[in-house]
Amino acid sequence: MDAVIVLANPTPLHNRETSSLSSKLLETLNDLSDTQPTLDVSQLTQQINLQKAQIDNLNATSNKRDVRSGLACTVSRLVLGANKYIDAGSPSYTNETSENWQVIPAPKAHAIYARSNWRMWIGLRTAGFPPHVSWSKFAVRSGGQNPNPGSGSIDGSGVLIDMAHINALQISADTKSVNVGSGARWGEVYKYLDPYGLSAVGARSPIPAVGGFLMGGGIPFIPTLYGLGCDNVQNFEVVLGNSSVVNANATANSDLFFALKGGGPNYGIVTRFDLYTVPLHNIWYRFDIYDYTDSLSILATTVQIQAAMELDPNAHFIWVADNGTILIGLIYAEWTADPAVFRPFQAFTPISSFIPETNGTVSTLSQNLNFLYSTPATYQLDVDLYQQTFTEFLATSNLSSSPSADQSYTIQPIGKAVAEAGNARGGNPLGLSAMPQTWFNSVAQYSSLADSAATQEAFTSLRTTMEQAVNAKDLLVPFIFQNDAGSSQNPLAGYGATNLAKLRAASQKYDAQQVFQRNQFGGFKLVNA
């Protein structure tokens, strides 16, 4: 599969500091040819030689960050051709900048690399050459599902690396693993594996891309069976800040392997994930919708079922309150009828069925869940706490003065088996405690900027009340799930001092020039932890 190779170390490889930009590009091509003999660089080499004078002349006059981002695009257009990148003059530019799942308009990048293959690194190689020139800022987007403003995008001072076309899928000969490009969507992964009677440990919606989901940890359909998504990666293919490509797994670059399993975008750009396949294929599920009339009793029953699920790792539920209704999705890891663990919910009559009771597959369930659910908090199980925080949610979610606004309340059950599964696979840096807990999540969204202040006020009120309630009962778990974290939160700090030190050591080792701390726009970075 083609790999994106981007953003070279600002210090030229082999310390060849006197090289011109065109010479540097040719020299780096030779380095790549040596390390990746299957790559045919002849055509690209010819293009650089043909455009040598223009490339070097552009570089000589470009000494500001915003100018260098433009230089990256110009050189790419000269060398690769217009179909390898998108800028403001391209017909599809508006569609690409609107790809992110954000209700706040995303900033407009100088250019977007949307026709992804391994040659894309050429444009960004110029961002750090020569060493005395300010580097260009950049952002990386796998699928654009992070709702935080600015995530997966950047303004005109930099370039956006879009991974959407790095989406190849290839199952191994023994079917025990599958190679997945960072830009592949989880719905595509499930459909690909379905004929084999297998699945992968991925997102509960078909929409998110593989890369961002796994780099933040990733909650799957039934986390108590195999742990989080990041625990089920066999190998990462990573492009480092010095343009080299490495593999990180249990035996090669194992410290980087550990860091990438939920440590965020701090070490390189992952272009391929080799995932373990799992025999989770046939599953039972049903999704029902309830109104708020019995909400407090439903919450008490939810805690009861959540406790019972500790004895039945095949069970999981999705619980989302939004816009006057509660959606409860029940999932069981085999074909069955009326799983005993969920029977207490039968005391309540749903107002409608969202998905009827079905013996299906992971793929068919994923196809039915074409919605997104995404400030989080983590706490232990407690009926009073659930009811108190939900009551506050009802008070703050009445955003009648903000007609375009909406707020949700989500309960995500995490059993002790989740942490145990992660430890069995060599561990991850999240620092999870092996005990039943809830990863609460709330999303406030609005489509009109006029509603921003009122929405933020309501959101802050809910968060403050929750923190006070949890602390009063001493039930707070010092962990914030990175995939759901808000831009004002600091999820990496909750991983614990020991794990944070390991992450920083990996960052210094594999990104000596700290390219991904200094130049990457957005994301939860170690420099801020």
Side-chain angles (χ1 to χ4, degrees):
M1 186 190 72
D2 289 342
V4 176
I5 302 175
V6 297
L7 198 65
N9 186 319
T11 301
L13 297 177
H14 307 319
N15 295 318
R16 294 174 291 208
E17 298 177 1
T18 60
S19 301
S20 65
L21 176 55
S22 61
S23 297
K24 174 50 57 185
L25 297 176
L26 292 170
E27 290 165 355
T28 309
L29 273 180
N30 289 332
D31 291 337
L32 289 168
S33 183
D34 291 340
T35 58
Q36 300 184 70
T38 60
L39 298 181
D40 182 3
V41 300
S42 58
Q43 186 177 5
L44 189 54
T45 299
Q46 182 180 13
Q47 281 297 102
I48 295 173
N49 282 321
L50 287 173
Q51 305 291 346
K52 183 175 182 180
Q54 285 184 270
I55 291 171
D56 292 339
N57 181 61
L58 284 166
N59 186 64
T61 59
S62 304
N63 58 6
K64 294 182 179 180
R65 176 167 290 158
D66 57 344
V67 176
R68 293 202 65 79
S69 66
L71 170 64
C73 297
T74 301
V75 171
S76 294
R77 182 171 63 248
L78 289 171
V79 175
L80 301 177
N83 66 328
K84 295 299 190 296
Y85 82 105
I86 295 170
D87 61 19
S90 305
S92 58
Y93 181 77
T94 299
N95 289 337
E96 289 291 342
T97 56
S98 302
E99 178 69 19
N100 294 44
W101 185 56
Q102 295 176 359
V103 293
I104 297 176
K108 306 301 185 183
H110 199 118
I112 303 171
Y113 291 78
R115 297 296 180 263
S116 301
N117 61 44
W118 66 270
R119 297 176 296 177
M120 194 193 308
W121 69 271
I122 280 288
L124 295 178
R125 185 68 177 95
T126 65
F129 180 87
H132 67 272
V133 175
S134 297
W135 305 342
S136 174
K137 289 285 186 177
F138 70 97
V140 181
R141 181 176 71 192
S142 294
Q145 265 57 63
N146 189 324
N148 290 313
S151 294
S153 190
I154 191 170
D155 60 21
S157 67
V159 293
L160 173 63
I161 306 167
D162 189 290
M163 310 289 282
H165 293 269
I166 303 182
N167 58 3
L169 302 169
Q170 181 60 58
I171 196 167
S172 63
D174 61 5
T175 71
K176 292 183 178 180
S177 65
V178 59
N179 299 341
V180 181
S182 185
R185 306 282 178 160
W186 280 107
E188 298 167 354
V189 177
Y190 297 142
K191 286 181 182 178
Y192 177 80
L193 293 174
D194 194 58
Y196 297 94
L198 299 169
S199 187
V201 182
R204 296 163 293 175
S205 165
I207 301 173
V210 169
F213 174 86
L214 293 174
M215 299 292 282
I219 302 177
F221 280 118
I222 307 178
T224 45
L225 278 182
Y226 305 104
L228 300 176
C230 65
D231 298 319
N232 290 272
V233 181
Q234 183 183 51
N235 178 75
F236 299 87
E237 180 188 79
V238 193
V239 180
L240 303 180
N242 64 3
S243 293
S244 62
V245 181
V246 301
N247 286 289
N249 50 58
T251 57
N253 302 308
S254 58
D255 48 353
L256 178 60
F257 179 58
F258 177 84
L260 289 168
K261 294 199 287 184
N266 287 289
Y267 321 95
I269 299 176
V270 179
T271 53
R272 193 191 76 228
F273 298 83
D274 301 340
L275 308 177
Y276 292 107
T277 57
V278 295
L280 179 63
H281 183 250
N282 294 337
I283 59 174
W284 174 95
Y285 52 86
R286 67 176 295 170
F287 283 64
D288 293 311
I289 297 175
Y290 304 82
D291 62 25
Y292 285 173
T293 303
D294 296 319
S295 58
L296 298 184
S297 296
I298 289 175
L299 285 165
T301 302
T302 299
V303 173
Q304 175 188 348
I305 290 175
Q306 200 169 340
M309 282 163 47
E310 291 298 304
L311 302 177
D312 191 346
N314 288 326
H316 189 68
F317 64 74
I318 293 174
W319 202 110
V320 183
D322 182 26
N323 198 28
T325 62
I326 301 171
L327 172 68
I328 299 180
L330 309 178
I331 308 170
Y332 203 78
E334 60 184 39
W335 282 357
T336 183
D338 189 27
V341 67
F342 296 134
R343 285 176 188 164
F345 273 135
Q346 295 176 4
F348 309 99
T349 302
I351 59 175
S352 64
S353 173
F354 183 71
I355 302 175
E357 182 175 357
T358 303
N359 279 321
T361 69
V362 171
S363 181
T364 60
L365 175 57
S366 171
Q367 293 170 39
N368 280 289
L369 298 180
N370 58 347
F371 60 87
L372 296 167
Y373 30 85
S374 171
T375 283
T378 303
Y379 47 77
Q380 299 175 52
L381 279 62
D382 183 84
V383 173
D384 292 339
L385 184 60
Y386 276 30
Q387 294 175 337
Q388 183 178 351
T389 57
F390 189 79
T391 300
E392 177 63 20
F393 161 73
L394 294 179
T396 60
S397 63
N398 182 19
L399 298 170
S400 57
S401 62
S402 306
S404 78
D406 181 41
Q407 188 172 357
S408 64
Y409 177 106
T410 302
I411 293 172
Q412 301 181 117
I414 301 295
K416 67 177 182 179
V418 176
E420 293 169 347
N423 292 333
R425 282 274 168 86
N428 62 53
L430 277 62
L432 300 181
S433 300
M435 63 179 182
Q437 54 196 271
T438 294
W439 293 1
F440 169 81
N441 180 37
S442 181
V443 172
Q445 55 186 344
Y446 50 93
S447 57
S448 172
L449 289 177
D451 295 332
S452 175
T455 306
Q456 184 60 48
E457 181 180 354
F459 199 58
T460 301
S461 175
L462 175 61
R463 178 177 171 181
T464 300
T465 299
M466 286 193 60
E467 290 175 347
Q468 292 172 347
V470 173
N471 284 322
K473 289 178 169 289
D474 195 26
L475 294 175
L476 182 67
V477 177
F479 172 79
I480 296 173
F481 180 44
Q482 186 177 162
N483 287 142
D484 290 342
S487 57
S488 64
Q489 295 184 293
N490 190 355
L492 295 178
Y495 287 10
T498 299
N499 285 337
L500 196 56
K502 291 180 180 179
L503 297 183
R504 287 185 169 130
S507 172
Q508 291 290 340
K509 178 179 178 181
Y510 293 95
D511 184 18
Q513 295 294 328
Q514 293 295 279
V515 169
F516 291 92
Q517 304 304 311
R518 296 172 179 171
N519 292 74
Q520 185 170 212
F521 184 83
F524 296 108
K525 296 188 287 190
L526 287 166
V527 69
N528 300 321

